[in-house]
Amino acid sequence: MQAVFNSKSIAVLPFLNIGSDENEYFADGISEEIINALTKIDGLKVTARTSSFFYKNKSLDARHIGNELGVETLLEGSVRIIKERVRITAQLIRTDNGFHMWSENFDRELTDIFELQDEISLLIADKIRENFGHFELQEHLVASATNNIEAYKLFLKGRSFQLNWRLEDINTAITYYEESVVIDPLFADAYVGIGWCYGILASWQYIDHKDGIAKAAFYLDKGVGLNPTSHVGYFGKATISFWGNWLYNEGLSYLEKCLNINPKYTEALEAKSEILTALGKFILAKTTIDSALEINPLSPNHHYTKGNIYYLQGDFDNAIISLDVSLKIDPTFVLAMELKTACYIHQNNYSSFIRYIEINKHLERPNLCKKLFDLVNRSNHFENQNIGVAIDVKNENSTHLPWNFYILIHEDKNSALNTLKHHTELKTGQFINFSNDPFLAPLRQLPNYKDLVSELFSSTVLPSNIEKGKSNNSETLFEGEELNDFATALENTMTNSKRFCNPELSLKQLAYEIDLHPNKLSWLLNNHFGKNFNDFINHYRIKEFQQLAILPENKHITLLGLAYDSGFNSKTVFNTFFKKETGTTPKQWVKANS
């Protein structure tokens, strides 16, 4: 894979730990702090930690790494702690020819670590500026987070465990963070770390939700109160708002504060994309995660997030492409494995599905997946395998997809709907995308389901700055009540005049009818309604077909004829979009609703 190239750019590779293995966390912490410092420079592309650390303990040519990350320079070095002193070597390398632009050795007291990180970061930035062009450079890039080196060491240990993303390691991280704040009660970053850990544990039901969220909020408030410029603190607050409480606007508000402080923080961009995805704002979500991937191209999570956007749109081919990239980076990433399995189920791709199940030993619930394949596709491939599965949907606290719940949908829709309501009340993380999850298609015709969606989403309207994205084109902006007025005019045109029945209808024609510039209409469709022009029009055509198909006087007309009467001019487009919109085929839908 090849990332977007930028001449004023750098990747900081993990510094090599020389000496005791127990200091590995410290060398990693030095590398991460320099990355964080350099990201403060406007105009300098800095590869995010996840992608830089992909090369940890790997001996690869600088040109190879530069091509993969799309950077002009690499920083590499080593760290050695000897009693109370630290020795750091660092060298800046061009990725086009392997030339060492700069190198230096540093020998300081451990207590001077923050000043040393600042000095190295400024030297690196200055060399890049000298060689590749102008950008503004601040007087300082690193501020002292604590005056106590022992508290800082404990913080770095906690951080190293937190980034493993394993339940037991998150609990260990909390222990180190707590020890850190005992030594330095004013250490803001450590409080933020505790809050983030409790928030994740509570959001995914590993600890009592109410108690965990309360603890998370307490520690995050404490950390942000001590350091109001902590972008990680606002990111933590956003995590609680979104994953913990499903408060979409509040989560976006905190993320905007985070990104205003650090626009290159890709975890925040990913979180923003996740919120937009949950709200069905897929175009904005994809644009946001693409921004994250530009500076963090080797993040398996980011590629998974992009794959999930495609998946929730019913674009399973592109979803698999993104998930394969994620799994190439991390072959043990179970979340991506399970979503890829789900794609094969929805594609009714038995050969790929069974081959993937058989070779993938990391998949946690193969029997549930097999049973679900038959249920979704009304097949009997696994009928004679005597698959025994225990259904436990009330306590489904997996960190992955809720397979038990998916099976229940096909066995008892009403029980499934009650289970869904239960998990929305608990704000269970696995269900946050339920409103667009393809597995829930059988529930979407139930009146109580629609009430549930309305209750959760009817009051959620994206802030105008989020809706507008980062566009600088004034033609795409609406003033005052214009947006709502034109949205209403568009919906009235669709409902009253049924212009969608014209198979030749174009965006320009529709824009002319509501007296709106085509550029503005395109923006309105994509950013307000969350659909492109074709998806928007075909949605109304499907509704028209459904109304025509259940009328007794139309029984003599073929389904394809009714589709053409509704504005479709292609059998393939009609069948594909109908399955995407309803989760079933036209024939099955008509049989169920006649």
Side-chain angles (χ1 to χ4, degrees):
M1 71 200 76
Q2 181 148 359
V4 178
F5 190 84
N6 187 311
S7 60
K8 289 184 283 188
S9 53
I10 185 171
V12 179
L13 300 183
F15 277 30
L16 180 65
N17 173 47
I18 299 177
S20 173
D21 289 342
E22 68 181 22
N23 291 324
E24 186 78 14
Y25 75 93
F26 196 87
D28 288 348
I30 295 292
S31 308
E32 185 175 5
E33 291 288 1
I34 293 174
I35 292 172
N36 292 338
L38 293 173
T39 59
K40 297 176 182 177
I41 303 171
D42 189 25
L44 177 65
K45 174 185 172 182
V46 183
T47 299
R49 180 192 190 278
T50 303
S51 293
S52 291
F53 273 62
F54 176 78
Y55 299 100
K56 186 177 174 69
N57 299 323
K58 295 178 182 177
S59 180
L60 294 172
D61 183 77
R63 284 165 288 196
H64 173 84
I65 298 174
N67 285 333
E68 283 200 328
L69 298 179
V71 295
E72 187 69 44
T73 56
L74 295 178
L75 179 72
E76 62 180 25
S78 63
V79 177
R80 185 175 185 180
I81 296 177
I82 305 174
K83 295 184 179 180
E84 299 304 315
R85 298 189 68 81
V86 58
R87 291 178 181 174
I88 296 178
T89 64
Q91 47 269 345
L92 190 64
I93 306 169
R94 288 186 65 118
T95 60
D96 57 350
N97 55 19
F99 176 73
H100 283 57
M101 299 168 53
W102 164 84
S103 64
E104 196 160 333
N105 299 320
F106 304 87
D107 191 341
R108 303 287 174 80
E109 295 288 336
L110 263 178
T111 52
D112 296 330
I113 190 62
F114 295 110
E115 291 84 352
L116 179 54
Q117 290 167 354
D118 189 45
E119 181 180 346
I120 294 172
S121 301
L122 288 168
L123 284 169
I124 294 163
D126 207 35
K127 289 297 177 183
I128 294 174
R129 182 169 57 177
E130 287 176 2
N131 285 271
F132 299 106
H134 172 73
F135 48 70
E136 294 293 328
L137 191 56
Q138 300 97 307
E139 186 175 346
H140 294 287
L141 296 172
V142 177
S144 176
T146 175
N147 293 322
N148 191 300
I149 190 63
E150 293 305 317
Y152 182 61
K153 284 183 177 181
L154 289 166
F155 167 78
L156 291 181
K157 286 182 179 179
R159 176 77 175 155
S160 68
F161 279 98
Q162 176 188 326
L163 291 174
N164 289 335
W165 287 92
R166 291 193 294 263
L167 173 63
E168 62 273 17
D169 289 339
I170 290 179
N171 284 318
T172 302
I174 291 175
T175 300
Y176 280 118
Y177 287 144
E178 288 177 337
E179 291 177 5
S180 178
V181 296
V182 168
I183 296 175
D184 183 359
L186 299 179
F187 193 1
D189 292 349
Y191 286 112
V192 168
I194 298 172
W196 184 93
C197 290
Y198 275 125
I200 291 298
L201 294 175
S203 298
W204 291 86
Q205 310 297 319
Y206 284 124
I207 59 176
D208 180 78
H209 184 269
K210 184 177 180 180
D211 180 59
I213 293 298
K215 286 183 177 179
F218 171 80
Y219 285 108
L220 288 168
D221 286 343
K222 181 80 171 177
V224 172
L226 289 168
N227 180 13
T229 63
S230 171
H231 67 278
V232 180
Y234 290 116
F235 169 70
K237 282 178 166 287
T239 299
I240 303 308
S241 298
F242 176 47
W243 288 106
N245 295 318
W246 293 18
L247 297 174
Y248 309 103
N249 281 8
E250 183 177 277
L252 287 170
S253 177
Y254 283 130
L255 288 174
E256 288 304 296
K257 291 180 180 180
C258 170
L259 291 167
N260 283 337
I261 297 169
N262 184 356
K264 302 170 187 175
Y265 189 46
T266 65
E267 282 84 353
L269 290 170
E270 179 181 275
K272 181 177 177 180
S273 179
E274 288 171 339
I275 296 180
L276 293 168
T277 298
L279 292 171
K281 303 292 185 179
F282 297 122
I283 294 174
L284 284 174
K286 184 176 177 297
T287 300
T288 303
I289 198 61
D290 281 343
S291 297
L293 283 166
E294 184 177 344
I295 51 180
N296 201 359
L298 298 181
S299 166
N301 290 69
H302 293 352
H303 286 286
Y304 166 82
T305 297
K306 186 171 182 176
N308 192 44
I309 294 169
Y310 284 124
Y311 170 78
L312 294 171
Q313 288 181 290
D315 187 351
F316 305 118
D317 290 339
N318 277 317
I320 289 173
I321 291 172
S322 289
L323 295 171
D324 280 343
V325 177
S326 176
L327 289 166
K328 183 178 180 181
I329 299 168
D330 181 0
T332 66
F333 190 16
V334 177
L335 206 62
M337 295 177 197
E338 295 207 338
L339 195 60
K340 184 176 178 180
T341 305
C343 288
Y344 286 142
I345 292 174
H346 290 297
Q347 288 179 325
N348 195 8
N349 189 339
Y350 173 74
S351 59
S352 296
F353 171 80
I354 193 61
R355 183 166 59 250
Y356 194 64
I357 290 285
E358 289 174 349
I359 67 173
N360 195 335
K361 303 305 179 185
H362 293 285
L363 198 64
E364 295 180 349
R365 298 172 180 80
N367 284 340
L368 282 172
C369 295
K370 290 177 181 179
K371 182 171 183 177
L372 189 60
F373 186 98
D374 275 347
L375 288 172
V376 169
N377 297 298
R378 302 186 180 183
S379 58
N380 56 3
H381 293 292
F382 306 101
E383 186 177 48
N384 298 320
Q385 292 193 14
N386 296 319
I387 297 173
V389 294
I391 306 298
D392 183 13
V393 293
K394 288 290 184 182
N395 299 304
E396 186 155 31
N397 61 349
S398 161
T399 58
H400 312 302
L401 296 178
W403 298 106
N404 287 296
F405 170 69
Y406 293 153
I407 289 176
L408 183 63
I409 289 173
H410 294 271
E411 296 184 341
D412 187 343
K413 289 185 179 63
N414 289 325
S415 292
L417 190 60
N418 289 333
T419 297
L420 176 61
K421 190 173 189 302
H422 169 74
H423 281 288
T424 59
E425 291 170 350
L426 288 179
K427 314 302 184 194
T428 306
Q430 298 92 313
F431 292 78
I432 205 159
N433 289 310
F434 81 90
S435 64
N436 293 294
D437 190 334
F439 280 119
L440 271 65
L443 299 183
R444 295 202 169 101
Q445 300 304 316
L446 301 179
N448 290 342
Y449 173 88
K450 297 174 183 177
D451 292 341
L452 179 62
V453 172
S454 177
E455 178 182 340
L456 286 168
F457 297 104
S458 61
S459 61
T460 302
V461 179
L462 288 183
S464 59
N465 63 313
I466 301 294
E467 287 280 17
K468 295 169 185 174
K470 296 184 178 180
S471 172
N472 293 318
N473 185 348
S474 60
E475 288 188 337
T476 66
L477 306 182
F478 291 83
E479 297 180 358
E481 294 297 315
E482 278 188 338
L483 189 149
N484 290 330
D485 291 342
F486 279 110
T488 301
L490 179 59
E491 290 177 317
N492 288 340
T493 299
M494 290 293 100
T495 303
N496 299 330
S497 69
K498 295 189 177 182
R499 294 292 291 126
F500 54 83
C501 289
N502 174 11
E504 304 301 323
L505 180 67
S506 67
L507 186 143
K508 285 186 177 180
Q509 290 173 330
L510 185 56
Y512 176 80
E513 293 193 18
I514 62 172
D515 195 24
L516 185 64
H517 193 283
N519 288 340
K520 280 195 170 185
L521 175 57
S522 178
W523 186 95
L524 183 69
L525 290 171
N526 286 281
N527 295 299
H528 182 72
F529 290 97
K531 298 178 184 290
N532 59 40
F533 174 75
N534 283 334
D535 284 355
F536 181 82
I537 298 300
N538 286 339
H539 169 78
Y540 280 93
R541 287 170 177 163
I542 291 294
K543 296 299 181 185
E544 180 71 3
F545 167 85
Q546 290 174 326
Q547 292 179 18
L548 294 176
I550 61 176
L551 293 176
E553 60 265 32
N554 290 332
K555 285 186 176 181
H556 66 288
I557 304 176
T558 65
L559 297 184
L560 186 57
L562 294 175
Y564 287 157
D565 289 342
S566 303
F568 287 98
N569 59 6
S570 165
K571 178 180 179 180
T572 301
V573 171
F574 168 60
N575 287 329
T576 300
F577 195 87
F578 193 97
K579 184 68 178 290
K580 174 183 174 182
E581 185 85 355
T582 67
T584 186
T585 66
K587 186 175 181 180
Q588 291 169 346
W589 185 90
V590 171
K591 183 178 180 181
N593 289 274
S594 295

